[in-house]
Amino acid sequence: MLRAFAFASAAELVDQAARVAQAAPFRYLVTPGGFTMSVAMTNCGRVGWLSDRTGYRYDPLDPDSGTAWPVMPALFLDLAGRAAAEAGFPNYDPDACLINRYTAGAKLGLHQDSDEKDAWSPIVSVSLGLPAVFLWGGKRRGDPVRRLRLESGDVVVWGGPARFVYHGVAPLKDGQHALTGAARINLTFRKVF
Ligand code: MD6
Ligand code: FE
């Protein structure tokens, strides 16, 4: 956990995320089980993470537009690379950045990130805007869950043996933040292939 690692670049990161969302708008994906997620999502990079009735996958095309996802902004790559290196993962070259937007009540249920072929490379997760409570469990779904507060600018680098830990985000509390208004934005960088 790199507290406030992205604090100085937070405003510009929010700006760049908005730019991505102009080209590939936030949308509410449907889970394979048929539920619409409460977190709005979009992507940038070589591939983007998707969920629909057929399952989870990474796709080089945005199904809403039929075109490639926006390229990853240089600032995103730079920040993710520096954070990964700081945590002991040099030469980080993420394929994808999933951008999550939470508004009041939005949550992410406990899950494992296991759709990536490269299961050792870290996920770099950047929190922007409203604070959230990150739920951090164990390798099994039933393991006890710790609650971790994530503030704007906090970066979590999650690699190696911790990769398959169950985690989620508790329902977002109502609030206002100077950078994002009534929302929390989370960037998760992944090395997929
Ligand atoms: C979020 N993050 O913080 C959702 N996954 O909005 C994740 O699901 C996540 O932050 C893997 C590693 C770090 C994460
Ligand atoms: Fe995750």
Side-chain angles (χ1 to χ4, degrees):
M1 159 83 86
L2 306 169
R3 286 260 179 231
F5 190 84
F7 192 82
S9 9
E12 212 177 331
L13 290 166
V14 169
D15 230 60
Q16 295 289 330
R19 207 175 274 269
V20 168
Q22 272 173 17
F26 283 106
R27 78 286 311 261
Y28 295 94
L29 299 174
V30 174
T31 66
F35 296 97
T36 299
M37 298 178 75
S38 59
V39 178
M41 298 182 175
T42 186
N43 293 277
C44 59
R46 294 185 277 272
V47 292
W49 186 85
L50 290 171
S51 175
D52 62 21
R53 289 306 301 246
T54 68
Y56 307 129
R57 69 177 182 283
Y58 283 96
D59 201 307
L61 300 182
D62 175 352
D64 285 6
S65 66
T67 64
W69 298 100
V71 296
M72 224 184 283
L75 175 68
F76 279 26
L77 276 177
D78 174 70
L79 182 93
R82 284 191 293 115
E86 179 87 7
F89 298 91
N91 307 116
Y92 186 52
D93 179 29
D95 302 304
C97 176
L98 170 64
I99 307 178
N100 293 152
R101 187 189 66 199
Y102 297 73
T103 48
K107 63 183 165 57
L108 200 59
L110 278 187
H111 67 278
Q112 289 173 307
D113 287 21
S114 51
D115 304 319
E116 299 78 23
K117 278 209 188 74
D118 186 334
W120 184 262
S121 276
I123 292 178
V124 173
S125 166
V126 181
S127 293
L128 300 164
L130 287 179
V133 174
F134 197 63
L135 308 171
W136 188 28
K139 296 246 159 94
R140 282 162 312 185
R141 188 177 281 285
D143 288 344
V145 173
R146 287 166 54 189
R147 298 169 69 88
L148 250 156
R149 190 177 160 92
L150 292 179
E151 309 259 6
S152 192
D154 288 346
V155 177
V156 183
V157 180
W158 183 311
R163 211 40 188 72
F164 295 110
V165 165
Y166 277 91
H167 59 281
V169 177
L172 195 82
K173 289 223 175 85
D174 228 333
Q176 278 294 325
H177 191 281
L179 294 181
T180 56
R184 168 181 185 254
I185 302 283
N186 173 261
L187 314 175
T188 56
F189 296 90
R190 294 112 190 278
K191 182 87 191 89
V192 177
F193 304 109

